[in-house]
Amino acid sequence: MLTRLPSKKMPKQVKHKQFRRPYSKWSLLLPTTLKLSKMKYLALILVLIAFASCRKVIDVDLNEANPATVIEANYTAEDSTIRVFITETSNFFSGDSEPTVDDAVVTITDQAGNSQLVPFISEGGYVLENYIPAYGTTYTMTVLSDGVTYTASCEMHTLIPQLGILYDYIEPGPFSGDGGYGVAVSYNDPAAAGDFTSVLISKNGYQMSGLNDITLSDDQLTNGNLVIRPLFVEIFDLGDTVEIELRTIDEKIYRYYNELISLTDPNSAAPANPDYQWENRALGYFSAYPSSRQSVIIQ
């Protein structure tokens, strides 16, 4: 027996509404406005020509500021290494790179008063390896350069270990572009209050370390709790390797980076210069910190 196929209904034709530009009485005044604008523009040119015949050249003397010493010092517990990089600021108009300081005397001192020299390596770099950290200890870095002594202190806090990297798919949208995978760091915040962290992400072996790539956190709202913090830095694809470095940092470094980030924020009303981390007003910082690393392949 043959089965009759149901007849297909022809789709109704939809009439598209023609877009009409709304009528405005101001459109009648447009040609007149253009003519008046041309007349004003011509008059302005004539005035400028008249002033050009009696203009005077003014030489502005731009004084060069005295160079400032910049000290970037990091003591990483992960590899028990101290790295110090010292430069001087250069003239803004010269276009030259900052000159390095290669003849400074750099020392590190622990809380018990034991000091050790951080030897010069090359091009403003000073490195001391196998300097075993003691957690909960405050270290003092001293730099003697051109007769001026700069000192800064920082506490090496106890490591906060990561629990793992979480990731989930994000649909395409205005903030996620074509979509992809977002990641989150997870850890248990210690019971004692006053913990500060910074998080950096690496994608396929490349670490994103710009100011806007650093995620800073305190524990005012998460003290003693499980923390799952999304990282709004990068969208990842299938097959990407993600590494997250969780640093336990000192409060002074937390404030320092927050102040630096506010300087680059166009929405900041009146950003202030970061507080000096070094005595005798050297620029830069000294940070001692442990790191916890986790990695995952998005799949």
Side-chain angles (χ1 to χ4, degrees), residues 154-172:
C154 186
E155 181 179 348
M156 177 72 76
H157 290 267
T158 304
L159 173 71
I160 298 178
Q162 291 187 61
L163 299 178
I165 299 176
L166 307 176
Y167 62 89
D168 197 9
Y169 183 74
I170 301 176
E171 297 290 341

Side-chain angles (χ1 to χ4, degrees), residues 184-196:
V185 62
S186 63
Y187 57 91
N188 284 316
D189 186 83
D195 296 301
F196 301 88

Side-chain angles (χ1 to χ4, degrees), residues 3-4 46 60 70 72 77 91 93 155 220 227 249 253 287 294:
T3 303
R4 184 178 179 182
L46 294 176
V60 180
V70 183
E72 298 171 280
N91 178 16
F93 298 100
E155 181 179 348
Q220 288 186 0
V227 178
I249 59 176
I253 300 302
S287 180
Q294 291 276 351

